[in-house]
Amino acid sequence: MAQIRIARRVLTECIAAMAFPILLLSILVAPVSAPVVAETDRSRARWCGVETMPLKPSDHSWAQWVGPRLRSRSMWRTDLPVFVTAVLLSALSLLVAFFGFIGAAALVFSPVFWLFGVAAQVGPFTPESVRETLLAMPAGIVLGAVTTTVLTGTSFLRDLLLRTFSRSRDPDLLAKLEELRTSRASLTAAFEFERQRIERDLHDGAQQELVAVVMRLGMLEATATAAAADQERIVRLARQAQAHAERALERLRDTVRDIHPRELSDLGLIAAVRELAARSPLRVELNSTGDDAQLSSPTATAVYFTVSEALTNISKHAGVGSARIDLRCATTDVHVRVHDDGVGGARIYAGSGLAGLRERMRSVGGNLEILSPPGGGTLVVASAPSQPPW
């Protein structure tokens, strides 16, 4: 395995030496060429057995990836130094490989050249007899081994510089990775919280009502069997069973609506928010502008549940009976503001419904902010692009 990796390193350095003229010309179109060369060098390192993380997504073309990469600070901190390193080390590999391997070949085959009347000159050495050509053969082998060692060392030096630039000069990439880890943990907690809420709603709501329906129907059956003449009691029990069944059906509808409202799928975000405001126990003033036809389903869903959670928090904690919603839909993004004049002091904490909604907004490329000074009311502001970045 070690021999294979050394052979790969020597081969990649020879390829880099042959590609030096192309690298030299690519300086004319730098920095556009820098991300391409740096990503190619990361692929080379992985082929040589070094653990490096590719930055170009597999489903993106070079054109799709280079454009955003040029706008990233990481390109100047990581890709450009790697590009400069690649040019310099490729020039070194070209000199070493050209003079080293050609000189080694000339020395090894010096007796053959002598038979054809050619004295193969390598540097200051020129054979003047058959004996000297035979002595040149082991020297050629040694020169080839030295050249291979130098190229292998150049490859290791290339890896060292690549890891140095990638680790110490790409803080925004590391920050994005840490943000992804935190977001994944928050989403997992939010999903678990939502599952528990659905289970609680079904257990305390529809399930209790259905149990009451079953009990009333049992009592109705016993009454009808024992005293067929007691029509008034039978009618009362039947009406109670019907009332419990209707409440259970309504609670099931509320639970299903909380999972995903049908109005949102059929009529769009604006109509769904209008229906949400109409069902709210608060007096809600809704101002909506724009067209929601361009909104993707994930974005519309995230905004809808943000408004729903904000209205729920107002009715439970704000101590007021009114709220205001400003919803603006555009072809590129959507913005919503939910405001109340309540007691304020609201905040986002781990495990809360708003924390889950903030992660949901971030998952579609948006954001959620809360301004809630004590005694000054609460303002929930959410925004997101019409189409998620993924």
Side-chain angles (χ1 to χ4, degrees), residues 177-372:
L177 289 175
E178 184 61 29
E179 182 181 349
L180 284 175
R181 294 191 189 100
T182 304
S183 178
R184 182 173 61 181
S186 300
L187 282 175
T188 301
F191 289 153
E192 182 62 26
F193 175 80
E194 185 66 13
R195 284 193 293 268
Q196 293 177 358
R197 184 192 66 80
I198 294 173
E199 186 275 335
R200 184 174 60 251
D201 289 347
L202 290 175
H203 180 273
D204 298 338
Q207 180 174 307
Q208 297 294 334
E209 297 294 344
L210 290 175
V211 169
V213 170
V214 172
M215 293 178 61
R216 291 295 185 278
L217 290 176
M219 296 171 62
L220 179 62
E221 180 183 7
T223 302
T225 303
D230 193 357
Q231 298 294 329
E232 183 178 350
R233 178 174 171 77
I234 294 175
V235 171
R236 185 174 67 254
L237 291 174
R239 288 176 177 172
Q240 290 176 351
Q242 182 182 11
H244 283 294
E246 289 175 351
R247 284 196 295 270
L249 181 61
E250 184 62 28
R251 293 198 176 190
L252 280 175
R253 287 173 178 168
D254 291 340
T255 301
V256 171
R257 186 183 292 113
D258 287 341
I259 297 174
H260 192 83
R262 187 173 184 83
E263 297 88 357
L264 186 60
S265 301
D266 295 344
L267 304 176
L269 177 62
I270 295 177
V273 172
R274 187 177 295 113
E275 177 66 20
L276 182 65
R279 293 197 317 269
S280 174
L282 302 170
R283 297 187 307 275
V284 180
E285 179 185 353
L286 173 61
N287 297 310
S288 60
T289 58
D291 184 9
D292 58 10
Q294 301 298 324
L295 295 181
S296 66
S297 177
T299 299
T301 301
V303 173
Y304 174 87
F305 282 109
T306 298
V307 176
S308 176
E309 183 71 17
L311 292 179
T312 299
N313 289 340
I314 293 173
S315 63
K316 289 182 178 180
H317 309 296
V320 294
S322 61
R324 175 188 175 92
I325 302 174
D326 295 309
L327 176 61
R328 181 177 65 83
C329 300
T331 56
T332 58
D333 54 16
V334 57
H335 295 265
V336 65
R337 298 161 60 94
V338 183
H339 182 260
D340 70 80
D341 297 321
V343 297
R347 62 187 181 89
I348 300 177
Y349 57 90
S352 66
L354 286 176
L357 290 174
R358 181 174 61 183
E359 295 305 323
R360 193 172 203 168
M361 293 298 301
R362 288 178 176 176
S363 70
V364 296
N367 194 24
L368 174 69
E369 297 180 356
I370 291 183
L371 302 177
S372 184

Side-chain angles (χ1 to χ4, degrees), residues 72-151:
S72 172
R73 289 179 297 175
S74 301
M75 197 282 296
W76 302 97
R77 295 173 176 175
T78 303
D79 293 350
L80 198 59
V82 172
F83 171 71
V84 174
T85 300
V87 174
L88 295 178
L89 292 183
S90 295
L92 175 62
S93 296
L94 176 61
L95 294 175
V96 172
F98 182 79
F99 291 105
F101 284 138
I102 291 182
L107 290 174
V108 170
F109 294 101
S110 181
V112 178
F113 295 145
W114 183 267
L115 292 177
F116 289 94
V118 178
Q121 181 179 0
V122 178
F125 172 74
T126 303
E128 297 180 354
S129 64
V130 176
R131 180 175 177 273
E132 291 183 357
T133 60
L134 294 176
L135 293 176
M137 294 180 63
I141 296 175
V142 172
L143 179 59
V146 171
T147 302
T148 301
T149 302
V150 173
L151 290 178

